[in-house]
Amino acid sequence: MKKKLVILSGAGISAESGIKTFRDAGGLWEGHNVMDVASPEGWNKNMALVLDFYNKRRQQLFEVEPNKAHTITAELETDFDVTIVTQNVDDLHERAGSTKVVHLHGELLKARSVLNDHGVIEWRRDINPGDLHPDGYQLRPHIVWFGEAVPAIEDAIGIVEEADCLIIIGTSMQVYPAAGLIDFAKSTTPIYYIDPNPASIPNLRNPLEVFQLSASAGMEIIKAKLKEIEF
Ligand code: OAD
């Protein structure tokens, strides 16, 4: 049976594709007030501003391509049972060929009704005020905003609990519950963390190896390493 490899990815894995991270210098949260564009309060205050923010993010998706880190991650499926739990709302993992991707914070290419969380639909165009879900209510981006529940977290916890090896790529580990997922790994599960500016991870029982590198350089090394290690 193939070993279970779980990849926890954040904005840093898509940085080399040209998508800005959130908290780096020049990142998305430097140019925007988070609560204005990524919270239910922001939506209620100025829906057009929120839609414009995500319309721009969605438009950019059509101009970028998966990078080497996404590709290597997809190729690992040949030898491992790989599941990706990503905080990213882009589709670059899927476009690189990964088949099992859980999006904790939603997806830019999906939309749903303001009425409820169900009835998620595929959506590739801009969303404008007045665009309605088939249920008759205004469409909103299928994005988890600050203050909202993270419906995929239960699935993600189960996936991490089963992992034989965890690889964390390009996340500042600041946003919960995503950042708390590693606490659910078995204490013997090795963890590799790739980030040019890694966060410190306190109170971790697991064996941890940090690669202070870009996602693509780090994944090249881990790809070679996975061939050698017993876990
Ligand atoms: P952050 O912007 O907080 O962190 C990005 C991480 O990527 C940082 O640790 C960088 O050092 C690292 N990084 C930068 N360039 C990199 C590269 N070339 N290769 C690898 N790593 C690189 O992004 P996240 O941790 O993903 O949520 O943010 C988590 C959540 O906060 C996002 O999903 C978003 C945001 O608010 C919502 O919008 C709900």
Side-chain angles (χ1 to χ4, degrees):
M1 229 176 40
K2 287 179 180 174
K3 293 284 185 188
K4 289 187 193 302
L5 211 61
V6 176
I7 315 274
L8 303 178
S9 67
I13 195 171
S14 298
E16 289 165 272
S17 294
I19 298 181
K20 280 183 178 179
T21 62
F22 294 93
R23 294 177 182 77
D24 286 304
L28 282 171
W29 291 158
E30 208 172 82
H32 297 88
N33 180 327
V34 187
M35 296 314 271
D36 281 349
V37 296
S39 77
E41 294 78 13
W43 174 262
N44 290 333
K45 199 165 85 185
N46 191 344
M47 175 173 71
L49 179 79
V50 177
L51 288 174
D52 181 59
F53 178 77
Y54 290 102
N55 286 343
K56 290 205 170 92
R57 312 273 82 75
R58 193 179 307 99
Q59 287 161 13
Q60 190 192 21
L61 277 192
F62 300 107
E63 292 159 14
V64 299
E65 298 290 338
N67 65 59
K68 191 92 191 156
H70 297 104
T71 310
I72 294 173
T73 302
E75 287 166 0
L76 288 173
E77 289 192 16
T78 310
D79 296 314
F80 299 94
D81 177 358
V82 183
T83 309
I84 297 166
V85 176
T86 188
Q87 296 176 74
N88 298 344
V89 294
D90 64 52
D91 64 339
L92 296 181
H93 280 301
E94 286 90 344
R95 277 158 58 188
S98 288
T99 58
K100 289 198 281 181
V101 188
V102 174
H103 286 270
L104 283 176
H105 294 161
E107 294 175 67
L108 279 170
L109 297 182
K110 292 185 176 165
R112 61 181 142 100
S113 154
V114 293
L115 181 64
N116 63 44
D117 296 351
H118 306 293
V120 175
I121 57 176
E122 307 285 326
W123 195 269
R124 301 178 74 82
R125 309 192 303 276
D126 285 358
I127 304 178
N128 295 307
D131 285 340
L132 303 184
H133 187 272
D135 70 7
Y137 285 79
Q138 172 67 43
L139 277 177
R140 58 162 276 181
H142 179 50
I143 301 285
V144 174
W145 289 326
F146 286 95
E148 295 188 314
V150 181
I153 198 71
E154 292 301 325
D155 283 350
I157 289 171
I159 290 162
V160 171
E161 281 173 341
E162 297 279 303
D164 294 309
C165 177
L166 266 187
I167 303 173
I168 307 171
I169 312 173
T171 169
S172 60
M173 303 288 284
Q174 288 198 29
V175 173
Y176 284 80
L181 277 173
I182 53 169
D183 296 333
F184 293 91
K186 295 185 284 275
S187 61
T188 49
T189 299
I191 301 183
Y192 300 111
Y193 178 20
I194 307 169
D195 196 303
N197 184 19
S200 67
I201 306 182
N203 306 322
L204 191 68
R205 301 157 301 168
N206 301 63
L208 171 71
E209 203 171 334
V210 179
F211 299 88
Q212 198 161 359
L213 293 168
S214 71
S216 58
M219 281 309 282
E220 292 276 14
I221 293 174
I222 285 181
K223 180 179 147 187
K225 214 176 170 67
L226 286 171
K227 289 201 168 77
E228 291 155 20
I229 58 164
E230 296 275 332
F231 55 83

PDB file of all heavy atoms in Angstrom, residues 156-187:
ATOM      1  N   ALA A 156     -10.238  17.690   6.971  1.00  0.00           N
ATOM      2  CA  ALA A 156      -8.793  17.931   6.993  1.00  0.00           C
ATOM      3  C   ALA A 156      -8.158  17.288   8.219  1.00  0.00           C
ATOM      4  O   ALA A 156      -7.070  16.703   8.137  1.00  0.00           O
ATOM      5  CB  ALA A 156      -8.514  19.431   6.966  1.00  0.00           C
ATOM      6  N   ILE A 157      -8.816  17.366   9.343  1.00  0.00           N
ATOM      7  CA  ILE A 157      -8.279  16.752  10.569  1.00  0.00           C
ATOM      8  C   ILE A 157      -8.121  15.244  10.367  1.00  0.00           C
ATOM      9  O   ILE A 157      -7.069  14.662  10.676  1.00  0.00           O
ATOM     10  CB  ILE A 157      -9.198  17.057  11.777  1.00  0.00           C
ATOM     11  CG1 ILE A 157      -9.075  18.540  12.165  1.00  0.00           C
ATOM     12  CG2 ILE A 157      -8.856  16.152  12.964  1.00  0.00           C
ATOM     13  CD1 ILE A 157     -10.086  19.014  13.207  1.00  0.00           C
ATOM     14  N   GLY A 158      -9.137  14.616   9.806  1.00  0.00           N
ATOM     15  CA  GLY A 158      -9.074  13.170   9.555  1.00  0.00           C
ATOM     16  C   GLY A 158      -7.915  12.827   8.623  1.00  0.00           C
ATOM     17  O   GLY A 158      -7.223  11.821   8.819  1.00  0.00           O
ATOM     18  N   ILE A 159      -7.697  13.648   7.638  1.00  0.00           N
ATOM     19  CA  ILE A 159      -6.612  13.408   6.668  1.00  0.00           C
ATOM     20  C   ILE A 159      -5.259  13.517   7.365  1.00  0.00           C
ATOM     21  O   ILE A 159      -4.370  12.684   7.186  1.00  0.00           O
ATOM     22  CB  ILE A 159      -6.726  14.420   5.500  1.00  0.00           C
ATOM     23  CG1 ILE A 159      -7.958  14.089   4.655  1.00  0.00           C
ATOM     24  CG2 ILE A 159      -5.464  14.437   4.650  1.00  0.00           C
ATOM     25  CD1 ILE A 159      -8.425  15.223   3.756  1.00  0.00           C
ATOM     26  N   VAL A 160      -5.093  14.545   8.192  1.00  0.00           N
ATOM     27  CA  VAL A 160      -3.811  14.747   8.881  1.00  0.00           C
ATOM     28  C   VAL A 160      -3.558  13.624   9.894  1.00  0.00           C
ATOM     29  O   VAL A 160      -2.433  13.148  10.043  1.00  0.00           O
ATOM     30  CB  VAL A 160      -3.776  16.144   9.555  1.00  0.00           C
ATOM     31  CG1 VAL A 160      -2.558  16.287  10.457  1.00  0.00           C
ATOM     32  CG2 VAL A 160      -3.782  17.242   8.493  1.00  0.00           C
ATOM     33  N   GLU A 161      -4.601  13.180  10.555  1.00  0.00           N
ATOM     34  CA  GLU A 161      -4.444  12.090  11.536  1.00  0.00           C
ATOM     35  C   GLU A 161      -3.879  10.829  10.891  1.00  0.00           C
ATOM     36  O   GLU A 161      -3.159  10.060  11.519  1.00  0.00           O
ATOM     37  CB  GLU A 161      -5.800  11.761  12.174  1.00  0.00           C
ATOM     38  CG  GLU A 161      -6.207  12.751  13.255  1.00  0.00           C
ATOM     39  CD  GLU A 161      -7.633  12.509  13.771  1.00  0.00           C
ATOM     40  OE1 GLU A 161      -8.438  11.843  13.089  1.00  0.00           O
ATOM     41  OE2 GLU A 161      -7.930  13.024  14.856  1.00  0.00           O
ATOM     42  N   GLU A 162      -4.206  10.617   9.631  1.00  0.00           N
ATOM     43  CA  GLU A 162      -3.795   9.392   8.922  1.00  0.00           C
ATOM     44  C   GLU A 162      -2.422   9.515   8.262  1.00  0.00           C
ATOM     45  O   GLU A 162      -1.909   8.543   7.719  1.00  0.00           O
ATOM     46  CB  GLU A 162      -4.806   9.105   7.799  1.00  0.00           C
ATOM     47  CG  GLU A 162      -6.210   8.833   8.281  1.00  0.00           C
ATOM     48  CD  GLU A 162      -6.365   7.404   8.748  1.00  0.00           C
ATOM     49  OE1 GLU A 162      -6.087   6.508   7.951  1.00  0.00           O
ATOM     50  OE2 GLU A 162      -6.729   7.207   9.934  1.00  0.00           O
ATOM     51  N   ALA A 163      -1.852  10.716   8.275  1.00  0.00           N
ATOM     52  CA  ALA A 163      -0.639  10.962   7.479  1.00  0.00           C
ATOM     53  C   ALA A 163       0.556  10.150   7.959  1.00  0.00           C
ATOM     54  O   ALA A 163       0.785  10.010   9.161  1.00  0.00           O
ATOM     55  CB  ALA A 163      -0.286  12.444   7.540  1.00  0.00           C
ATOM     56  N   ASP A 164       1.326   9.612   7.011  1.00  0.00           N
ATOM     57  CA  ASP A 164       2.613   9.000   7.335  1.00  0.00           C
ATOM     58  C   ASP A 164       3.725  10.047   7.270  1.00  0.00           C
ATOM     59  O   ASP A 164       4.797   9.873   7.848  1.00  0.00           O
ATOM     60  CB  ASP A 164       2.933   7.876   6.332  1.00  0.00           C
ATOM     61  CG  ASP A 164       1.950   6.719   6.471  1.00  0.00           C
ATOM     62  OD1 ASP A 164       1.752   6.246   7.601  1.00  0.00           O
ATOM     63  OD2 ASP A 164       1.351   6.320   5.443  1.00  0.00           O
ATOM     64  N   CYS A 165       3.480  11.107   6.525  1.00  0.00           N
ATOM     65  CA  CYS A 165       4.467  12.185   6.401  1.00  0.00           C
ATOM     66  C   CYS A 165       3.717  13.470   6.056  1.00  0.00           C
ATOM     67  O   CYS A 165       2.779  13.442   5.260  1.00  0.00           O
ATOM     68  CB  CYS A 165       5.461  11.842   5.293  1.00  0.00           C
ATOM     69  SG  CYS A 165       6.686  13.130   4.977  1.00  0.00           S
ATOM     70  N   LEU A 166       4.116  14.572   6.685  1.00  0.00           N
ATOM     71  CA  LEU A 166       3.454  15.858   6.422  1.00  0.00           C
ATOM     72  C   LEU A 166       4.456  16.820   5.788  1.00  0.00           C
ATOM     73  O   LEU A 166       5.597  16.928   6.258  1.00  0.00           O
ATOM     74  CB  LEU A 166       3.038  16.506   7.740  1.00  0.00           C
ATOM     75  CG  LEU A 166       1.656  16.327   8.331  1.00  0.00           C
ATOM     76  CD1 LEU A 166       1.521  17.244   9.548  1.00  0.00           C
ATOM     77  CD2 LEU A 166       0.587  16.663   7.322  1.00  0.00           C
ATOM     78  N   ILE A 167       4.020  17.505   4.762  1.00  0.00           N
ATOM     79  CA  ILE A 167       4.885  18.516   4.149  1.00  0.00           C
ATOM     80  C   ILE A 167       4.126  19.842   4.174  1.00  0.00           C
ATOM     81  O   ILE A 167       3.027  19.943   3.608  1.00  0.00           O
ATOM     82  CB  ILE A 167       5.252  18.145   2.701  1.00  0.00           C
ATOM     83  CG1 ILE A 167       5.921  16.771   2.665  1.00  0.00           C
ATOM     84  CG2 ILE A 167       6.168  19.208   2.097  1.00  0.00           C
ATOM     85  CD1 ILE A 167       6.169  16.244   1.249  1.00  0.00           C
ATOM     86  N   ILE A 168       4.697  20.825   4.844  1.00  0.00           N
ATOM     87  CA  ILE A 168       4.061  22.148   4.919  1.00  0.00           C
ATOM     88  C   ILE A 168       4.809  23.055   3.950  1.00  0.00           C
ATOM     89  O   ILE A 168       6.036  23.125   3.978  1.00  0.00           O
ATOM     90  CB  ILE A 168       4.179  22.739   6.340  1.00  0.00           C
ATOM     91  CG1 ILE A 168       3.664  21.751   7.383  1.00  0.00           C
ATOM     92  CG2 ILE A 168       3.438  24.067   6.444  1.00  0.00           C
ATOM     93  CD1 ILE A 168       3.961  22.188   8.820  1.00  0.00           C
ATOM     94  N   ILE A 169       4.054  23.748   3.100  1.00  0.00           N
ATOM     95  CA  ILE A 169       4.730  24.581   2.096  1.00  0.00           C
ATOM     96  C   ILE A 169       4.143  25.989   2.086  1.00  0.00           C
ATOM     97  O   ILE A 169       2.944  26.178   1.850  1.00  0.00           O
ATOM     98  CB  ILE A 169       4.553  23.999   0.672  1.00  0.00           C
ATOM     99  CG1 ILE A 169       4.870  22.508   0.634  1.00  0.00           C
ATOM    100  CG2 ILE A 169       5.426  24.765  -0.328  1.00  0.00           C
ATOM    101  CD1 ILE A 169       4.546  21.857  -0.710  1.00  0.00           C
ATOM    102  N   GLY A 170       5.000  26.990   2.354  1.00  0.00           N
ATOM    103  CA  GLY A 170       4.631  28.376   2.105  1.00  0.00           C
ATOM    104  C   GLY A 170       3.428  28.901   2.865  1.00  0.00           C
ATOM    105  O   GLY A 170       2.520  29.463   2.266  1.00  0.00           O
ATOM    106  N   THR A 171       3.457  28.730   4.173  1.00  0.00           N
ATOM    107  CA  THR A 171       2.404  29.374   4.975  1.00  0.00           C
ATOM    108  C   THR A 171       3.017  29.980   6.226  1.00  0.00           C
ATOM    109  O   THR A 171       3.941  29.407   6.816  1.00  0.00           O
ATOM    110  CB  THR A 171       1.273  28.398   5.360  1.00  0.00           C
ATOM    111  OG1 THR A 171       0.427  29.033   6.342  1.00  0.00           O
ATOM    112  CG2 THR A 171       1.774  27.083   5.910  1.00  0.00           C
ATOM    113  N   SER A 172       2.480  31.130   6.607  1.00  0.00           N
ATOM    114  CA  SER A 172       2.999  31.813   7.797  1.00  0.00           C
ATOM    115  C   SER A 172       2.443  31.196   9.079  1.00  0.00           C
ATOM    116  O   SER A 172       2.817  31.611  10.175  1.00  0.00           O
ATOM    117  CB  SER A 172       2.639  33.305   7.739  1.00  0.00           C
ATOM    118  OG  SER A 172       1.230  33.454   7.688  1.00  0.00           O
ATOM    119  N   MET A 173       1.558  30.216   8.953  1.00  0.00           N
ATOM    120  CA  MET A 173       1.007  29.494  10.112  1.00  0.00           C
ATOM    121  C   MET A 173       0.348  30.457  11.107  1.00  0.00           C
ATOM    122  O   MET A 173       0.446  30.293  12.314  1.00  0.00           O
ATOM    123  CB  MET A 173       2.122  28.697  10.834  1.00  0.00           C
ATOM    124  CG  MET A 173       2.870  27.709   9.977  1.00  0.00           C
ATOM    125  SD  MET A 173       1.885  26.270   9.559  1.00  0.00           S
ATOM    126  CE  MET A 173       1.942  25.361  11.089  1.00  0.00           C
ATOM    127  N   GLN A 174      -0.321  31.456  10.587  1.00  0.00           N
ATOM    128  CA  GLN A 174      -0.932  32.451  11.484  1.00  0.00           C
ATOM    129  C   GLN A 174      -2.436  32.338  11.557  1.00  0.00           C
ATOM    130  O   GLN A 174      -3.063  32.962  12.422  1.00  0.00           O
ATOM    131  CB  GLN A 174      -0.581  33.859  10.988  1.00  0.00           C
ATOM    132  CG  GLN A 174       0.850  34.200  11.225  1.00  0.00           C
ATOM    133  CD  GLN A 174       1.077  35.691  11.151  1.00  0.00           C
ATOM    134  OE1 GLN A 174       0.191  36.483  11.440  1.00  0.00           O
ATOM    135  NE2 GLN A 174       2.263  36.080  10.737  1.00  0.00           N
ATOM    136  N   VAL A 175      -3.036  31.634  10.600  1.00  0.00           N
ATOM    137  CA  VAL A 175      -4.492  31.631  10.533  1.00  0.00           C
ATOM    138  C   VAL A 175      -5.035  30.282  11.024  1.00  0.00           C
ATOM    139  O   VAL A 175      -4.651  29.225  10.518  1.00  0.00           O
ATOM    140  CB  VAL A 175      -4.966  31.928   9.088  1.00  0.00           C
ATOM    141  CG1 VAL A 175      -6.466  31.766   8.955  1.00  0.00           C
ATOM    142  CG2 VAL A 175      -4.561  33.345   8.701  1.00  0.00           C
ATOM    143  N   TYR A 176      -5.890  30.367  12.014  1.00  0.00           N
ATOM    144  CA  TYR A 176      -6.515  29.161  12.587  1.00  0.00           C
ATOM    145  C   TYR A 176      -7.936  29.019  12.050  1.00  0.00           C
ATOM    146  O   TYR A 176      -8.549  30.014  11.698  1.00  0.00           O
ATOM    147  CB  TYR A 176      -6.523  29.274  14.124  1.00  0.00           C
ATOM    148  CG  TYR A 176      -5.148  29.006  14.691  1.00  0.00           C
ATOM    149  CD1 TYR A 176      -4.178  30.012  14.665  1.00  0.00           C
ATOM    150  CD2 TYR A 176      -4.802  27.760  15.169  1.00  0.00           C
ATOM    151  CE1 TYR A 176      -2.890  29.764  15.138  1.00  0.00           C
ATOM    152  CE2 TYR A 176      -3.521  27.507  15.653  1.00  0.00           C
ATOM    153  CZ  TYR A 176      -2.572  28.516  15.631  1.00  0.00           C
ATOM    154  OH  TYR A 176      -1.304  28.255  16.087  1.00  0.00           O
ATOM    155  N   PRO A 177      -8.452  27.809  11.937  1.00  0.00           N
ATOM    156  CA  PRO A 177      -7.890  26.559  12.447  1.00  0.00           C
ATOM    157  C   PRO A 177      -6.826  25.904  11.573  1.00  0.00           C
ATOM    158  O   PRO A 177      -6.224  24.913  11.996  1.00  0.00           O
ATOM    159  CB  PRO A 177      -9.124  25.650  12.535  1.00  0.00           C
ATOM    160  CG  PRO A 177     -10.050  26.145  11.469  1.00  0.00           C
ATOM    161  CD  PRO A 177      -9.834  27.620  11.403  1.00  0.00           C
ATOM    162  N   ALA A 178      -6.549  26.441  10.380  1.00  0.00           N
ATOM    163  CA  ALA A 178      -5.591  25.777   9.481  1.00  0.00           C
ATOM    164  C   ALA A 178      -4.253  25.505  10.178  1.00  0.00           C
ATOM    165  O   ALA A 178      -3.711  24.390  10.110  1.00  0.00           O
ATOM    166  CB  ALA A 178      -5.377  26.629   8.228  1.00  0.00           C
ATOM    167  N   ALA A 179      -3.735  26.507  10.877  1.00  0.00           N
ATOM    168  CA  ALA A 179      -2.409  26.373  11.481  1.00  0.00           C
ATOM    169  C   ALA A 179      -2.382  25.315  12.584  1.00  0.00           C
ATOM    170  O   ALA A 179      -1.319  24.784  12.922  1.00  0.00           O
ATOM    171  CB  ALA A 179      -1.952  27.726  12.022  1.00  0.00           C
ATOM    172  N   GLY A 180      -3.535  25.001  13.143  1.00  0.00           N
ATOM    173  CA  GLY A 180      -3.589  24.008  14.216  1.00  0.00           C
ATOM    174  C   GLY A 180      -3.656  22.577  13.723  1.00  0.00           C
ATOM    175  O   GLY A 180      -3.586  21.633  14.520  1.00  0.00           O
ATOM    176  N   LEU A 181      -3.741  22.396  12.418  1.00  0.00           N
ATOM    177  CA  LEU A 181      -3.902  21.036  11.876  1.00  0.00           C
ATOM    178  C   LEU A 181      -2.748  20.115  12.240  1.00  0.00           C
ATOM    179  O   LEU A 181      -2.948  18.920  12.464  1.00  0.00           O
ATOM    180  CB  LEU A 181      -4.049  21.088  10.351  1.00  0.00           C
ATOM    181  CG  LEU A 181      -5.444  21.382   9.804  1.00  0.00           C
ATOM    182  CD1 LEU A 181      -5.387  21.571   8.294  1.00  0.00           C
ATOM    183  CD2 LEU A 181      -6.407  20.254  10.163  1.00  0.00           C
ATOM    184  N   ILE A 182      -1.537  20.667  12.296  1.00  0.00           N
ATOM    185  CA  ILE A 182      -0.373  19.799  12.552  1.00  0.00           C
ATOM    186  C   ILE A 182      -0.463  19.111  13.913  1.00  0.00           C
ATOM    187  O   ILE A 182       0.124  18.068  14.126  1.00  0.00           O
ATOM    188  CB  ILE A 182       0.972  20.544  12.439  1.00  0.00           C
ATOM    189  CG1 ILE A 182       0.974  21.786  13.308  1.00  0.00           C
ATOM    190  CG2 ILE A 182       1.272  20.916  11.007  1.00  0.00           C
ATOM    191  CD1 ILE A 182       2.366  22.377  13.423  1.00  0.00           C
ATOM    192  N   ASP A 183      -1.225  19.691  14.829  1.00  0.00           N
ATOM    193  CA  ASP A 183      -1.374  19.065  16.153  1.00  0.00           C
ATOM    194  C   ASP A 183      -2.102  17.731  16.075  1.00  0.00           C
ATOM    195  O   ASP A 183      -2.090  16.966  17.030  1.00  0.00           O
ATOM    196  CB  ASP A 183      -2.149  20.003  17.099  1.00  0.00           C
ATOM    197  CG  ASP A 183      -1.387  21.289  17.348  1.00  0.00           C
ATOM    198  OD1 ASP A 183      -0.148  21.262  17.249  1.00  0.00           O
ATOM    199  OD2 ASP A 183      -2.028  22.319  17.612  1.00  0.00           O
ATOM    200  N   PHE A 184      -2.748  17.471  14.958  1.00  0.00           N
ATOM    201  CA  PHE A 184      -3.490  16.212  14.820  1.00  0.00           C
ATOM    202  C   PHE A 184      -2.652  15.101  14.199  1.00  0.00           C
ATOM    203  O   PHE A 184      -3.112  13.964  14.080  1.00  0.00           O
ATOM    204  CB  PHE A 184      -4.763  16.432  13.996  1.00  0.00           C
ATOM    205  CG  PHE A 184      -5.764  17.301  14.720  1.00  0.00           C
ATOM    206  CD1 PHE A 184      -5.764  18.669  14.545  1.00  0.00           C
ATOM    207  CD2 PHE A 184      -6.671  16.731  15.599  1.00  0.00           C
ATOM    208  CE1 PHE A 184      -6.662  19.479  15.235  1.00  0.00           C
ATOM    209  CE2 PHE A 184      -7.575  17.520  16.292  1.00  0.00           C
ATOM    210  CZ  PHE A 184      -7.574  18.902  16.110  1.00  0.00           C
ATOM    211  N   ALA A 185      -1.429  15.408  13.813  1.00  0.00           N
ATOM    212  CA  ALA A 185      -0.573  14.357  13.241  1.00  0.00           C
ATOM    213  C   ALA A 185      -0.120  13.423  14.358  1.00  0.00           C
ATOM    214  O   ALA A 185       0.052  13.850  15.505  1.00  0.00           O
ATOM    215  CB  ALA A 185       0.638  14.988  12.565  1.00  0.00           C
ATOM    216  N   LYS A 186       0.074  12.148  14.019  1.00  0.00           N
ATOM    217  CA  LYS A 186       0.658  11.226  14.999  1.00  0.00           C
ATOM    218  C   LYS A 186       2.032  11.784  15.394  1.00  0.00           C
ATOM    219  O   LYS A 186       2.735  12.370  14.546  1.00  0.00           O
ATOM    220  CB  LYS A 186       0.846   9.836  14.368  1.00  0.00           C
ATOM    221  CG  LYS A 186      -0.465   9.149  13.997  1.00  0.00           C
ATOM    222  CD  LYS A 186      -0.238   7.729  13.502  1.00  0.00           C
ATOM    223  CE  LYS A 186       0.297   7.657  12.090  1.00  0.00           C
ATOM    224  NZ  LYS A 186      -0.696   7.696  11.019  1.00  0.00           N
ATOM    225  N   SER A 187       2.422  11.574  16.666  1.00  0.00           N
ATOM    226  CA  SER A 187       3.646  12.231  17.139  1.00  0.00           C
ATOM    227  C   SER A 187       4.897  11.714  16.428  1.00  0.00           C
ATOM    228  O   SER A 187       5.944  12.349  16.441  1.00  0.00           O
ATOM    229  CB  SER A 187       3.789  12.075  18.647  1.00  0.00           C
ATOM    230  OG  SER A 187       3.875  10.710  18.958  1.00  0.00           O
TER     231      SER A 187
END
